[in-house]
Amino acid sequence: MASHTATETTEAVTHGADGAVMSADAVGAGDAAVAHGADAAHDAGGLVFHPLDQFIVRPIFGDGGIFHPSMPVPPIHWYTPTNVTLWLALAVLCVVLLFVVGSRGRATIPSRVQSVGELFYGFTHKMVEDVCGKEGLKYFPYVMTLFVFILFANFLGLIPMSFATTSHIAVTAVLGFGVFFGVTILGFVLNGPSFLKLFWMSEAPLFLRPIIAIIELISYFVRPVSHSVRLAGNITAGHAVMKVFAAFAGLAIVSPLSVVAITAIYGLEVLVAGIQAYVFAILTCVYLKDALHPAH
Amino acid sequence: MATENVVAQEVESGMPQLDFSTFPNQIFWLLIALVVIYLVLSRIALPRISGVLAERSGTISNDLAAAEDLKLRATEAEAVYEKALADARIESNRIADQARVAAQADLDAAMADADQKIAAQTADAEANIAEIRASATENVAIVAKDVAEALVAAMGSSADQATIDAAVTDRMKG
């Protein structure tokens, strides 16, 4: 990541009287600062940690873009094609390849790719039907969209040098709050005011019901937060840990251990990528079930 | 250049996930991606796959029904075969019995015929033997009479033929 142009400019500053203070401030900071800090670390002969650099959103083209990562990142407009755009587009491409190109033969005896697509279809279809019942199958395409998108985004994020779109709270919050608002509006549209029975435990003793209602209400509004932070947190943590171990590989003594650890954590992350997509999808189904059958 | 860097470093400090200036960009592209995936799945992929699955399960149930039908027909054919086999066995037993009875009858007839022939021959032979025995006794008497006559002649006397015969007959009775 550390490049010469950035390093030289920062060195020009650092070589002033307050150079030591500057480099101390710069540790753990952003791109240009990391280049600076990395340089300082190299001078000290130590290790270079910047595990969060992989999550920086950059434009695809121009200075500070993904091909010139050493330059400062320019301001990003809503329409700028960024690495987010690139990896989202690849996820879309994977979905198209698996489900459209893979099944183009419409074969009764399926090809390998087609049978994988059918497997995903059957798995998600069964999940929606088991959790929400037959009425939930109307919303199966939405759940399928979320599931395959998160699954492919997670797995694409595991490719070395890639960008994990689902590690960003902006992405997962859109997904999580989208489910939250969708399910809440659907609940009121389908059930009217009786959707509020979801919070009123008719089995509980009467004096406990208001208290339970308050707790249920709070937990209901925490759902989208936990739903989105769970996904982003899992992916971010896994990738950051791998990057930290990768930094340790720079030390000859611990590098074999570091490589083994990266391998192990990578295996774990492959599991996490699948499991988190599954968890997101099945929680969506559970919330959808509340909207379809609000009475406990 | 240096001041720009310092500004950049202040803006970008902390987690890139919490850099709110990138949020509109991410949300914009995410929504596009989700809409595209949704449209691709709901318009093309899911109807196609569900069609393929339905067709396959139809084919499988048809094939199973056909297999059931064929199995039934095989069972029927086996029953017919078994029946034919049993009939043939009964028929063959019957034919064998018939042949045995016929053979027995032939044998019995032949045996009876043979027995009859043997009895006739035996009776013939017995008659012959009796005749021979009778004629032998007669011949002995004639020979004895001739011998007695010759003996008498040899002794130089003559006797009446009738006397000799009576004497021989008398002696032979004794």
Side-chain angles (χ1 to χ4, degrees), chain A:
Chain A
M1 285 277 184
S3 103
H4 287 289
T5 39
T7 314
E8 278 157 18
T9 39
T10 43
E11 265 177 0
V13 182
T14 320
H15 285 178
D18 54 353
V21 181
M22 279 291 294
S23 50
D25 282 346
V27 172
D31 187 44
V34 165
H36 180 164
D39 190 53
H42 274 305
D43 287 347
L47 292 170
V48 188
F49 290 101
H50 27 87
L52 296 178
D53 278 10
Q54 58 179 319
F55 302 120
I56 294 171
V57 177
R58 302 171 181 283
I60 296 178
F61 309 105
D63 287 355
I66 53 176
F67 299 111
H68 307 280
S70 55
M71 310 231 184
V73 178
I76 288 170
H77 306 288
W78 61 270
Y79 52 84
T80 313
T82 54
N83 46 2
V84 180
T85 319
L86 174 66
W87 290 96
L88 287 175
L90 288 175
V92 173
L93 183 71
C94 288
V95 171
V96 171
L97 283 178
L98 176 59
F99 290 103
V100 178
V101 179
S103 69
R104 72 190 181 286
R106 289 185 174 83
T108 307
I109 297 164
S111 63
R112 290 182 197 188
V113 183
Q114 188 187 329
S115 68
V116 170
E118 284 169 10
L119 218 63
F120 276 113
Y121 178 97
F123 179 76
T124 319
H125 198 268
K126 190 172 182 308
M127 177 168 71
V128 174
E129 193 176 354
D130 286 353
V131 178
C132 306
K134 289 271 183 211
E135 315 87 272
L137 287 180
K138 214 179 356 170
Y139 310 100
F140 162 63
Y142 298 93
V143 179
M144 184 85 177
T145 303
L146 288 175
F147 179 58
V148 296
F149 166 69
I150 296 172
L151 194 75
F152 279 112
N154 286 353
F155 279 127
L156 286 173
L158 281 175
I159 297 171
M161 309 299 291
S162 76
F163 178 82
T165 47
T166 42
S167 70
H168 274 266
I169 193 73
V171 168
T172 59
V174 168
L175 300 174
F177 278 93
V179 170
F180 175 75
F181 287 118
V183 161
T184 308
I185 291 167
L186 188 70
F188 279 113
V189 167
L190 289 181
N191 305 289
S194 67
F195 181 58
L196 293 172
K197 279 182 193 160
L198 182 65
F199 307 109
W200 197 252
M201 288 275 183
S202 47
E203 301 95 349
L206 189 59
F207 70 96
L208 277 179
R209 284 182 207 172
I211 304 168
I212 292 176
I214 291 169
I215 296 172
E216 288 279 319
L217 208 61
I218 293 171
S219 86
Y220 189 82
F221 281 99
V222 169
R223 274 177 180 183
V225 178
S226 68
H227 204 184
S228 49
V229 169
R230 180 184 302 112
L231 178 56
N234 267 291
I235 304 301
T236 305
H239 285 68
V241 165
M242 268 195 278
K243 206 74 169 183
V244 168
F245 276 104
F248 273 115
L251 269 185
I253 297 172
V254 291
S255 62
L257 192 69
S258 166
V259 169
V260 170
I262 290 172
T263 312
I265 291 174
Y266 194 90
L268 189 71
E269 284 307 303
V270 170
L271 274 181
V272 166
I275 290 169
Q276 287 305 319
Y278 174 66
V279 165
F280 198 99
I282 202 156
L283 282 176
T284 304
C285 290
V286 170
Y287 300 161
L288 193 60
K289 188 201 73 181
D290 283 347
L292 296 171
H293 319 281
H296 278 277

Side-chain angles (χ1 to χ4, degrees), chain B residues 157-172:
Chain B
S157 66
S158 71
D160 190 11
Q161 185 68 42
T163 312
I164 292 167
D165 284 357
V168 168
T169 308
D170 193 42
R171 272 308 254 202
M172 278 178 73

Side-chain angles (χ1 to χ4, degrees), chain B residues 57-79:
Chain B
S57 72
T59 308
I60 289 172
S61 53
N62 280 349
D63 286 1
L64 282 179
E68 194 66 29
D69 190 42
L70 287 175
K71 193 179 164 194
L72 207 67
R73 276 162 60 185
T75 317
E76 274 170 16
E78 197 188 346

Side-chain angles (χ1 to χ4, degrees), chain B:
Chain B
M1 203 55 180
T3 42
E4 266 178 38
N5 273 352
V6 172
V7 169
Q9 127 192 358
E10 277 169 4
V11 167
E12 291 173 16
S13 64
M15 289 179 77
Q17 279 90 338
L18 300 177
D19 180 1
F20 294 101
S21 68
T22 65
F23 274 30
N25 181 272
Q26 295 193 57
I27 291 168
F28 169 65
W29 291 112
L30 172 67
L31 290 177
I32 288 182
L34 286 179
V35 167
V36 170
I37 291 178
Y38 175 75
L39 289 179
V40 164
L41 287 183
S42 64
R43 294 290 154 86
I44 306 171
L46 300 185
R48 187 186 287 176
I49 293 176
S50 77
V52 167
L53 291 179
E55 191 183 322
R56 181 176 310 148
S57 72
T59 308
I60 289 172
S61 53
N62 280 349
D63 286 1
L64 282 179
E68 194 66 29
D69 190 42
L70 287 175
K71 193 179 164 194
L72 207 67
R73 276 162 60 185
T75 317
E76 274 170 16
E78 197 188 346
V80 168
Y81 163 76
E82 289 288 347
K83 192 175 172 303
L85 198 67
D87 284 354
R89 192 170 287 133
I90 289 167
E91 180 70 11
S92 77
N93 281 344
R94 199 180 60 76
I95 290 168
D97 283 349
Q98 227 168 25
R100 196 176 297 126
V101 167
Q104 192 66 48
D106 283 356
L107 186 66
D108 287 351
M111 289 275 275
D113 197 34
D115 281 351
Q116 211 177 348
K117 276 181 186 162
I118 290 166
Q121 280 181 359
T122 310
D124 260 7
E126 273 171 358
N128 279 345
I129 290 167
E131 204 174 305
I132 289 166
R133 187 174 290 140
S135 70
T137 316
E138 227 166 90
N139 289 344
V140 166
I142 291 168
V143 169
K145 281 169 189 166
D146 287 349
V147 169
E149 198 183 334
L151 275 173
V152 171
M155 280 177 189
S157 66
S158 71
D160 190 11
Q161 185 68 42
T163 312
I164 292 167
D165 284 357
V168 168
T169 308
D170 193 42
R171 272 308 254 202
M172 278 178 73
K173 273 176 189 167

